[in-house]
Amino acid sequence: MIQIGEAQFDLSDPVTLAVFVCCGVLGLILVLLVFMLFRPTRIPAPLARQLQALGSGQEQLRGNLQTVSDTQANAQTQLIQSLETRLATVQLQMQQQLSQMQERTNQSLHGSAQRTTTSLTQLQERLRAIDKAQDNITKLSGDVLSLQDILSNKQTRGAFGEIQLNDIVSKALPSDSYDMQKTLSNGRRADCLIHLPNPPGPIAIDAKFPLEAYEALHRAKTDWELKSAVANMRTSVRKHIRDISEKYILDGETADGALMFLPSEAVYAELHANFPELVREGFEAHVWIVSPTTCMATLHTMRAILKDARMREQAGEIRKTLRLLHRDVELVVSRVGKLDTHFRQAREDLEGIGTAAERAGKRAAKLDNFDFEEIETEPPAPILPVKGTSNS
């Protein structure tokens, strides 16, 4: 490394070395020219030889510089070729990687498109299901509003309870075991009268309920409204229990109890949860409060009672039929004994016929041999009377 002023030169670089050598040769030539100008014309032989040697060295230096230049050009050419080859390889690799990345991107986009299509299809199906559910909700809202309109009127509410009661009773009991809208001897009409045997006797069911008190209880917002609705609820239910007890429990005509049918499970749960004293008062008045579920269970119990009562009613017919069956069996046994006697007599007659046939065969064999002298005199066989003809 040589530093001249602020510039630095690296002697290991061939170009830098060649430049320094050229500069040195040029300086030496200039020195020789100046010497030759100020010296006599005649050049001594030793100087001539030195000049000749210097010229040869210059030619050799020029050749070395050309060699260095050619070497550097070849090195640059090889370097450029190597760089081009490397660049082509890198470009090919980059193209391959880009192709792979593009293929993966296309696959990813294709998969994403398929997933998006599937998701959109599922979303459309769910939207259709939601639309259908919305339609059902709209229809149900209309049904609820219609039911609310029905329950807001006493007559329509009573008809709704009677229809529900009729549906439950018709599914639980035979058609000949109950009457709907049956008029009693006191002129009162029961919504349903179940014909149970004595005891307990026919049981009446009432399907009307004061729903206004229950609705007022659930509409109450202030403490005063709640207190008033609770008092009204107790008063209405007590009056309804008392009316059922007076109208549908008749001594000697109906059972000593009646059923108060509630067409709503919510009202039934409200009474048992918050008004247990009303339920106890109903028990004391022999008025049993039932909901659609408990009414079905009660009716199944009544069905078992009806079945047992009908079995008891038919027990006499069953015993009479058994006696007749026993008499028929005795007749069959007697007829079988007489038939056995006939078979025994027929067997004895067959045995006598066989004996007579055997003797007749022996005599026929002797006659066939003309051996009359050896025939023994035997008494004629008695003729047996045919039995069994007069005993039958």
Side-chain angles (χ1 to χ4, degrees):
M1 183 69 67
I2 298 174
Q3 184 174 0
I4 301 175
E6 295 180 356
Q8 293 181 355
F9 301 95
D10 188 5
L11 294 179
S12 61
D13 188 3
V15 177
T16 304
L17 182 60
V19 171
F20 274 101
V21 171
C22 291
C23 293
V25 171
L26 291 176
L28 182 59
I29 293 173
L30 289 175
V31 171
L32 291 176
L33 289 176
V34 172
F35 182 76
M36 289 177 65
L37 289 176
F38 291 98
R39 294 287 297 186
T41 306
R42 185 171 176 269
I43 301 172
L47 182 58
R49 286 194 297 273
Q50 291 180 357
L51 290 175
Q52 186 178 0
L54 182 61
S56 299
Q58 185 178 2
E59 291 295 332
Q60 185 177 1
L61 180 60
R62 185 181 294 110
N64 292 333
L65 290 175
Q66 185 66 33
T67 301
V68 170
S69 178
D70 294 339
T71 303
Q72 185 177 5
N74 292 331
Q76 289 180 353
T77 303
Q78 292 178 358
L79 179 61
I80 292 172
Q81 292 177 354
S82 176
L83 290 175
E84 289 178 352
T85 304
R86 182 62 177 170
L87 182 60
T89 304
V90 171
Q91 186 176 3
L92 180 61
Q93 291 178 356
M94 290 182 66
Q95 289 179 355
Q96 293 178 354
Q97 292 178 358
L98 287 175
S99 300
Q100 294 177 359
M101 290 178 63
Q102 186 176 4
E103 184 177 358
R104 287 197 296 268
T105 303
N106 292 333
Q107 292 178 357
S108 178
L109 290 175
H110 183 67
S112 299
Q114 289 183 347
R115 289 193 296 270
T116 303
T117 304
T118 304
S119 300
L120 290 175
T121 304
Q122 294 177 354
L123 181 59
Q124 291 178 355
E125 294 177 354
R126 292 177 181 176
L127 288 176
R128 284 196 294 268
I130 291 173
D131 292 338
K132 186 176 180 181
Q134 184 66 31
D135 295 338
N136 294 331
I137 291 173
T138 304
K139 183 179 178 181
L140 182 61
S141 299
D143 295 339
V144 170
L145 292 176
S146 300
L147 180 61
Q148 186 176 3
D149 294 337
I150 291 174
L151 296 179
S152 62
N153 187 281
K154 290 184 179 180
Q155 295 181 353
T156 55
R157 185 171 67 245
F160 174 73
E162 293 171 6
I163 292 173
Q164 191 174 8
L165 178 62
N166 186 14
D167 183 63
I168 294 174
V169 173
S170 62
K171 291 180 180 178
L173 298 178
S175 59
D176 58 347
S177 62
Y178 65 91
D179 288 324
M180 302 299 295
Q181 300 300 320
K182 177 68 174 178
T183 303
L184 303 178
S185 61
N186 59 357
R188 301 294 183 178
R189 180 180 296 177
D191 294 326
C192 179
L193 185 67
I194 301 175
H195 303 293
L196 292 180
N198 288 316
I203 295 180
I205 303 178
D206 182 82
K208 296 177 287 294
F209 182 78
L211 191 62
E212 294 85 356
Y214 175 76
E215 292 178 348
L217 180 64
H218 281 268
R219 287 197 306 266
K221 297 181 180 179
T222 63
D223 294 338
W224 182 85
E225 291 178 353
L226 181 61
K227 185 176 180 180
S228 177
V230 169
N232 188 21
M233 183 78 172
R234 287 194 175 95
T235 303
S236 300
V237 175
R238 283 196 181 99
K239 183 179 182 302
H240 194 55
I241 292 173
R242 186 170 58 254
D243 291 342
I244 293 175
S245 178
E246 294 175 355
K247 294 178 182 179
Y248 305 129
I249 300 178
L250 303 178
D251 189 15
E253 183 177 356
T254 64
D256 60 348
L259 298 179
M260 182 173 68
F261 176 74
L262 302 179
S264 174
E265 297 285 348
V267 179
Y268 181 81
E270 181 71 25
L271 288 178
H272 282 76
N274 299 322
F275 300 93
E277 70 279 2
L278 297 179
V279 179
R280 289 193 296 269
E281 291 178 8
F283 288 159
E284 293 173 358
H286 294 180
V287 176
W288 297 286
I289 303 173
V290 293
S291 67
T293 304
T294 56
C295 182
M296 180 64 74
T298 304
L299 292 177
H300 277 289
T301 304
M302 293 181 181
R303 181 174 182 176
I305 295 173
L306 288 171
K307 184 177 180 180
D308 184 67
R310 291 182 179 180
M311 289 293 293
R312 288 198 304 269
E313 291 175 358
Q314 296 176 0
E317 293 294 331
I318 294 173
R319 287 194 295 269
K320 182 179 179 181
T321 304
L322 287 175
R323 285 196 298 270
L324 293 176
L325 181 62
H326 184 266
R327 189 188 66 179
D328 292 340
V329 171
E330 289 180 348
L331 290 175
V332 170
V333 172
S334 176
R335 297 290 175 84
V336 169
K338 291 181 180 180
L339 185 61
D340 183 62
T341 302
H342 292 322
F343 284 158
R344 187 174 62 255
Q345 292 175 355
R347 186 169 58 252
E348 292 176 356
D349 292 340
L350 288 174
E351 290 177 356
I353 291 172
T355 303
E358 186 179 358
R359 286 198 299 268
K362 290 180 180 179
R363 289 189 176 89
K366 291 181 180 181
L367 287 174
D368 187 43
N369 295 328
F370 298 98
D371 193 4
F372 296 101
E373 291 148 356
E374 296 180 358
I375 296 176
E376 297 180 356
T377 303
E378 296 180 359
I383 299 175
L384 298 175
V386 179
K387 298 180 181 181
T389 56
S390 60
N391 294 332
S392 61

